[in-house]
């Protein structure tokens, strides 16, 4: 190993030791507590599953290749509203987040940052200089790299989730040898989400006070977001089915936007916001369906589900089956067998 290589390895070891000794170090550097006066109001937390990279891009590509993945470089800047939309609307979608984690190592690079980056040529530079060398002029900018470091797809700016999801498929499925990304997107013709929350007359209306709800009747907390095709399908199809509707009407239904700053009162009687409550409950994806009994969470489902599972979740709580049978999957198996015995065929994807 040459002197430069030895020094790079030593820096990585030192960095790793610092991380192990102080897990909060990096978070504190960008999101210091309010009483220090150092808060960066434009900083947006990134998903915890983003790769914690030493910013040696060649090594990152090698590691991703060994894992059967590809590298996605995410260039951002603090205070960028479109970066916030990417993190919230796109990576806040369970299907997109799961797909991204499965097929990509996402590496975040601050286009104005001073952290050291080792580029594809092995030369040491800074985040800012590295961004400039790649002609990054907008945020977010996403570069999808192949196994040799070649840029397969470049996204200058924000794409809506339905479009972004198709680009993920294009790179993940290695379609670049068959057609251009533009032709692939055109062939799929993805449909946009409605861009609205589906508030219904029977739902608890604003201002929401969870502490004031009937303690004798279970609460269904629907945590969603506006750019969510699965949320659209849930409300426009599944929740409109007669059998599902019958169970839904036995619940107190509260619909909240997981990114909204609208003030609400929590189950504990303390004023908070929809966004803070979602964070407190550990909800990062939409749609999520959380069931509460007497103010305590009894059960939840997250992500994309079809009618049998959605309806099963409701009856699992309404019939107190969650107390007797703690395994929801076993409950569903028994429920399906019961339906089949009565001559009712269950199509899990209907």
């Amino acid at each position: 190993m040459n002197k430069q290589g030895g020094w790079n390895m030593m820096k990585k070891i030192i960095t790793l030791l610092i991380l192990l000794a102080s897990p909060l170090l990096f978070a504190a550097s960008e999101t210091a507590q309010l009483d220090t006066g150092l808060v960066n109001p434009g900083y947006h937390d990134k998903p915890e599953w983003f790769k914690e990279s030493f910013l040696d891009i060649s090594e990152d590509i090698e590691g991703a290749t060994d894992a059967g993945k590809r590298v996605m470089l995410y260039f951002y800047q603090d205070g960028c509203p479109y970066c916030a939309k990417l993190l919230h609307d796109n990576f806040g979608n369970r299907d997109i987040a799961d797909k991204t984690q499965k097929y990509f190592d996402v590496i975040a690079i601050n286009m104005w940052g001073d952290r050291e980056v080792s580029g594809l040529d092995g030369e040491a530079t800074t985040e800012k200089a590295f961004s400039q060398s790649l002609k990054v002029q907008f945020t977010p900018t996403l570069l999808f790299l192949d196994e040799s470091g070649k840029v397969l797809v470049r996204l200058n700016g924000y794409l809506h989730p339905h479009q972004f999801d198709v680009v993920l498929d294009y790179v993940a499925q290695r379609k670049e040898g068959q057609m251009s990304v533009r032709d692939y997107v055109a062939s799929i013709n993805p449909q946009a989400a409605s861009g609205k929350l589906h508030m219904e007359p029977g739902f608890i209306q604003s201002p929401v006070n969870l502490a004031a709800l009937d303690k004798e009747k279970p609460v269904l907390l629907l945590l969603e977001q506006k750019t969510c095709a699965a949320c659209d399908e849930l409300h426009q199809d599944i929740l409109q089915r007669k059998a599902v509707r019958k169970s839904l009407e036995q619940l107190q239904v509260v619909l909240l936007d997981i990114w909204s700053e609208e003030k609400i009162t929590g189950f504990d009687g303390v004023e908070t916001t929809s966004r803070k409550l979602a964070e407190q409950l550990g909800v990062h994806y939409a749609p999520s369906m959380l069931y509460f009994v007497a103010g305590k969470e009894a059960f939840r489902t997250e992500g994309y589900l079809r009618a049998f599972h959605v309806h099963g979740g409701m009856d699992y709580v309404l019939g107190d089956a969650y107390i007797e049978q703690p395994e929801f999957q076993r409950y569903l198996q028994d429920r399906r067998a019961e339906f089949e015995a009565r001559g009712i065929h269950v199509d899990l994807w209907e």
Side-chain angles (χ1 to χ4, degrees):
M1 179 181 296
N2 60 33
K3 184 181 294 185
Q4 182 63 36
W7 172 236
N8 285 338
M9 180 60 71
M10 181 62 70
K11 285 191 293 184
K12 292 176 183 178
I13 293 174
I14 292 172
T15 302
L16 181 59
L17 289 174
I18 292 174
L19 281 170
L20 292 172
S22 181
L24 298 178
L25 182 63
F26 285 123
S29 69
E30 294 190 285
T31 56
Q33 297 300 312
L34 282 171
D35 57 3
T36 67
L38 297 176
V39 171
N40 182 346
Y43 177 75
H44 301 287
D45 288 324
K46 300 165 190 65
E48 59 183 14
W49 46 264
F50 273 25
K51 182 174 182 179
E52 204 56 72
S53 170
F54 292 111
L55 299 185
D56 186 326
I57 306 304
S58 292
E59 283 194 2
D60 287 328
I61 292 173
E62 183 178 344
T65 301
D66 290 343
K69 298 182 178 184
R70 284 177 155 175
V71 167
M72 180 195 305
L73 299 181
Y74 160 55
F75 293 87
Y76 71 95
Q77 61 180 321
D78 295 345
C80 165
Y82 293 102
C83 298
K85 280 187 70 66
L86 177 70
L87 298 175
H88 296 167
D89 294 355
N90 296 37
F91 293 130
N93 179 297
R94 168 68 75 177
D95 291 337
I96 289 178
D98 287 348
K99 185 182 297 183
T100 306
Q101 291 178 74
K102 181 177 180 179
Y103 293 107
F104 299 93
D105 281 339
V106 185
I107 299 168
I109 298 174
N110 185 340
M111 72 174 292
W112 306 115
D114 295 317
R115 290 186 300 166
E116 184 175 302
V117 177
S118 179
L120 294 172
D121 56 6
E123 294 295 322
T125 183
T126 64
E127 291 175 286
K128 181 179 179 180
F130 183 62
S131 301
Q132 290 174 341
S133 72
L134 292 170
K135 296 180 171 54
V136 173
Q137 299 181 20
F138 309 94
T139 55
T141 290
L142 296 172
L143 302 185
F144 296 82
L145 308 181
D146 71 4
E147 291 66 33
S148 68
K150 176 184 176 182
V151 178
L152 293 171
V153 175
R154 180 188 186 105
L155 300 180
N156 294 320
Y158 175 73
L159 275 188
H160 290 288
H162 66 291
Q163 299 166 317
F164 182 73
D165 189 41
V166 176
V167 174
L168 289 180
D169 286 336
Y170 175 81
V171 181
Q173 297 174 20
R174 291 162 163 74
K175 297 286 187 179
E176 67 273 6
Q178 303 172 31
M179 65 181 76
S180 70
V181 65
R182 182 174 181 174
D183 289 342
Y184 181 72
V185 173
S187 70
I188 300 298
N189 189 26
Q191 300 301 305
S194 68
K196 66 178 183 179
L197 291 181
H198 298 274
M199 181 63 70
E200 300 186 33
F203 293 179
I204 302 299
Q205 302 296 305
S206 182
V208 171
N209 185 344
L210 298 175
L213 297 180
D214 185 352
K215 299 294 190 298
E216 302 299 318
K217 189 175 181 180
V219 174
L220 169 55
L221 197 57
L222 291 173
L223 291 165
E224 304 181 6
Q225 62 183 21
K226 294 178 180 178
T227 52
C228 172
C231 301
D232 293 340
E233 183 177 320
L234 175 67
H235 288 271
Q236 296 171 352
D237 176 10
I238 296 173
L239 296 187
Q240 301 306 317
R241 302 188 186 194
K242 186 175 180 180
V244 178
R245 199 76 192 176
K246 185 176 180 180
S247 295
L248 186 69
E249 290 170 355
Q250 299 177 57
L251 298 160
Q252 300 175 92
V253 185
V254 179
L255 174 61
L256 299 177
D257 184 337
I258 64 175
W259 306 114
S260 173
E261 298 296 342
E262 181 180 1
K263 291 183 179 180
I264 64 171
T265 302
F267 286 104
D268 56 4
V270 177
E271 185 178 273
T272 183
T273 67
S274 297
R275 179 171 181 165
K276 288 180 180 178
L277 179 63
E279 291 175 353
Q280 178 185 339
L281 294 171
V283 173
H284 305 289
Y285 305 103
S288 289
M289 305 176 71
L290 280 64
Y291 297 86
F292 291 80
V293 176
K296 302 293 183 181
E297 184 178 340
F299 176 64
R300 70 169 65 185
T301 61
E302 299 175 293
Y304 181 76
L305 296 175
R306 293 298 297 155
F308 178 72
H309 290 78
V310 171
H311 193 192
M314 293 179 185
D315 288 353
Y316 185 59
V317 174
L318 288 169
D320 293 334
Y322 72 97
I323 300 174
E324 303 168 5
Q325 175 51 270
E327 296 181 17
F328 181 55
Q329 192 58 46
R330 191 174 296 278
Y331 167 81
L332 289 179
Q333 291 173 353
D334 293 342
R335 179 182 175 92
R336 184 180 185 184
E338 179 185 340
F339 283 179
E340 296 285 355
R342 290 161 49 193
I344 304 173
H345 175 63
V346 175
D347 184 346
L348 298 180
W349 287 103
E350 184 181 349

